[in-house]
Amino acid sequence: NLKKMKKIILLVTAFIGMNSLQAQEITPSIAVVGEGVVKVTPDQVLIKVRVESEGSSAQQVKSDNDKAIDKVLKYTKSMGVKEGDVKTEYVNLNKNYDYQTKEYKYVANQSISILLKDLNKYSEFTEGLLNAGINRIDGVTFKST
């Protein structure tokens, strides 16, 4: 009786084991890992520039800055840059104390970003920006459309 019971348990265990092996059927697959590199030639450039003025009067440095920015905007327009491709990033006016001279100085600055879509004009354009009144170039990013 005990032998019969052992045989039945052994048969049931073997049957369950075979069913679980069939349930774990392996699906064939392929796994690939890689890296792609795309090299493109830029066709436009984003130029971030700034005009900064310093002086003893807040009104004067603001006026100087506004005049310089106006010249820069007229220059960009004369070079064919569309109005939508020129954006003001920020405008600041600060009062600073000079501990050496014990006087206050005012600093005004305005930053603009310009998207130049004709790279053939890049050298001429940046030189023209400096001549128009820009006194800082904060960044140049070449882009591709």
Side-chain angles (χ1 to χ4, degrees):
N1 206 3
L2 189 58
K3 280 186 174 184
K4 243 184 185 182
M5 197 64 149
K6 283 182 181 180
K7 281 183 183 179
I8 291 175
I9 290 176
L10 183 62
L11 283 173
V12 169
T13 305
F15 180 73
I16 291 173
M18 289 182 67
N19 280 342
S20 67
L21 283 175
Q22 288 176 352
Q24 295 176 356
E25 189 174 312
I26 297 173
T27 305
S29 64
I30 298 174
V32 178
V33 177
E35 180 179 316
V37 176
V38 177
K39 293 184 180 185
V40 293
T41 303
D43 58 355
Q44 53 187 232
V45 61
L46 181 67
I47 307 167
K48 292 189 178 197
V49 296
R50 185 175 2 161
V51 171
E52 190 167 291
S53 304
E54 186 177 299
S56 58
S57 160
Q59 291 80 7
Q60 187 59 48
V61 296
K62 170 99 173 69
S63 175
D64 292 348
N65 232 52
D66 289 346
K67 287 175 188 172
I69 288 292
D70 188 53
K71 285 170 69 174
V72 168
L73 294 176
K74 285 178 181 170
Y75 174 71
T76 59
K77 190 174 184 179
S78 76
M79 290 294 287
V81 177
K82 293 179 183 170
E83 194 174 307
D85 291 334
V86 179
K87 296 182 178 121
T88 297
E89 297 292 328
Y90 63 82
V91 177
N92 288 324
L93 177 62
N94 298 307
K95 182 178 180 179
N96 298 331
Y97 186 72
D98 185 342
Y99 291 96
Q100 298 289 347
T101 63
K102 299 190 187 313
E103 296 174 339
Y104 283 100
K105 289 184 181 178
Y106 293 88
V107 178
N109 56 53
Q110 182 170 345
S111 175
I112 59 176
S113 60
I114 305 159
L115 183 63
L116 181 63
K117 293 182 178 176
D118 184 355
L119 285 182
N120 294 322
K121 294 181 180 178
Y122 175 72
S123 293
E124 175 189 358
F125 187 72
T126 52
E127 187 176 323
L129 286 173
L130 293 167
N131 292 334
I134 291 298
N135 48 21
R136 293 186 75 147
I137 297 176
D138 292 326
V140 175
T141 306
F142 290 92
K143 302 172 126 195
S144 184
T145 52

